[in-house]
């Protein structure tokens, strides 16, 4: 029987171990890089969605502000009209009070 020297067998097994070790490192690094790329892509997508949400929120606030401004203007006009109506009613009440007094009581 021809026996292979121990050093030759050790080199053979060491090379096999190196190949498996390098293959494992390549797989692990590929998974890590894939995960990082996936997370980067998800982050970009979430950032874009967040920008859309913020824009929609700003638009809604703008519409709300316009409605409030319109309400304030309408309320101001109604208050002016009510003040004029109260003044007119006060003048009418004064004239009615003057007209209802008896001529002999003056």
């Amino acid at each position: 029987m021809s026996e292979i020297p121990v050093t030759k067998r050790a080199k053979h097994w060491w090379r096999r171990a190196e190949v498996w070790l390098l293959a494992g490192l390549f797989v692990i690094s590929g998974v890590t890089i894939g995960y990082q790329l996936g997370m980067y892509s998800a982050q970009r997508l979430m950032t874009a969605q967040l920008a859309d949400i913020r824009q929609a929120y700003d638009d809604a606030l703008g519409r709300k502000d316009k409605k409030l401004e319109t309400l304030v203007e309408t309320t101001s006009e109604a208050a002016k009209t009510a003040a004029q109506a109260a003044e007119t009613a006060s003048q009418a009440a004064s004239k009615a009070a003057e007209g209802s007094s008896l001529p002999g009581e003056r």
Side-chain angles (χ1 to χ4, degrees), residues 5-26:
V6 173
T7 56
K8 193 170 184 180
R9 279 190 290 162
K11 286 181 184 178
H12 172 73
W13 285 106
W14 178 247
R15 285 197 178 120
R16 290 183 85 177
E18 283 180 328
V19 167
W20 280 105
L21 183 65
L22 287 175
L25 286 174
F26 285 144

Side-chain angles (χ1 to χ4, degrees), residues 30-94:
V31 168
T32 303
I33 290 172
Y35 176 77
Q36 292 295 326
L37 287 174
M39 293 306 290
Y40 176 73
S41 177
Q43 184 266 336
R44 286 184 54 211
L45 181 64
M46 285 188 281
T47 301
Q49 288 176 346
L50 182 62
D52 291 343
I53 290 169
R54 285 182 178 166
Q55 182 63 38
Y57 182 75
D58 290 343
D59 291 344
L61 282 180
R63 287 193 303 273
K64 177 183 162 192
D65 289 344
K66 287 180 185 177
K67 287 181 181 179
L68 286 175
E69 288 174 7
T70 304
L71 180 64
V72 166
E73 290 174 5
T74 305
T75 305
S76 297
E77 291 173 7
K80 287 178 187 175
T81 305
Q84 290 174 352
E87 189 177 328
T88 304
S90 176
Q91 290 173 357
S94 296

